[in-house]
Amino acid sequence: MKKTLAIAGAVALAASIGMAAPAQAATKTGGECVQAGIGTLKELGLLQAAAQKQIDYSTLADSENGPIFLDLPAGSNLSLGQVVKLHTKSPDLFAWCR
């Protein structure tokens, strides 16, 4: 459960810094988006690293091409909780939530 609650918050930090999301509407919301994000991390073999704050999300972020539609600075090792929170607040930032 802690791991599930952690995925969206990472990008939430970036959004709270004033990063803009694209105008496209998300097709998944809330828990569906969080589960899709967890599934993506599992598929990529990154879930454990994400839980340990060992992923630089800037390597997955590109404001135009995604899969995380933000521009993040190098060294954006966000907590899984921050990323999870962002999934619930701004699902349109994630390709797997569309």
Side-chain angles (χ1 to χ4, degrees), residues 22-34 36-37 69 87-98:
Q24 294 176 281
T27 58
K28 295 178 184 169
T29 59
E32 291 177 320
C33 183
V34 170
F69 296 97
H87 276 68
T88 60
K89 289 187 174 186
S90 301
D92 55 313
L93 294 177
F94 304 94
W96 45 85
C97 294
R98 294 180 176 198

Side-chain angles (χ1 to χ4, degrees), residues 7 16-17 19 34 40 43 46-47 60 62 64-65 67 69-70 82-83 88-89 91-93:
I7 225 174
S16 70
I17 300 174
M19 307 277 178
V34 170
T40 299
E43 287 174 20
L46 297 174
L47 186 58
L60 301 171
D62 182 312
E64 293 183 27
N65 300 310
F69 296 97
L70 285 173
Q82 291 171 308
V83 179
T88 60
K89 289 187 174 186
D92 55 313
L93 294 177

Side-chain angles (χ1 to χ4, degrees), residues 15-82:
S16 70
I17 300 174
M19 307 277 178
Q24 294 176 281
T27 58
K28 295 178 184 169
T29 59
E32 291 177 320
C33 183
V34 170
Q35 290 302 316
I38 296 287
T40 299
L41 286 173
K42 284 181 182 177
E43 287 174 20
L44 297 173
L46 297 174
L47 186 58
Q48 185 172 351
Q52 296 171 346
K53 201 175 173 183
Q54 294 179 346
I55 295 177
D56 180 356
Y57 287 93
S58 71
T59 64
L60 301 171
D62 182 312
S63 63
E64 293 183 27
N65 300 310
I68 299 174
F69 296 97
L70 285 173
D71 288 323
L72 295 171
S76 293
N77 293 68
L78 307 167
S79 75
L80 193 52
Q82 291 171 308

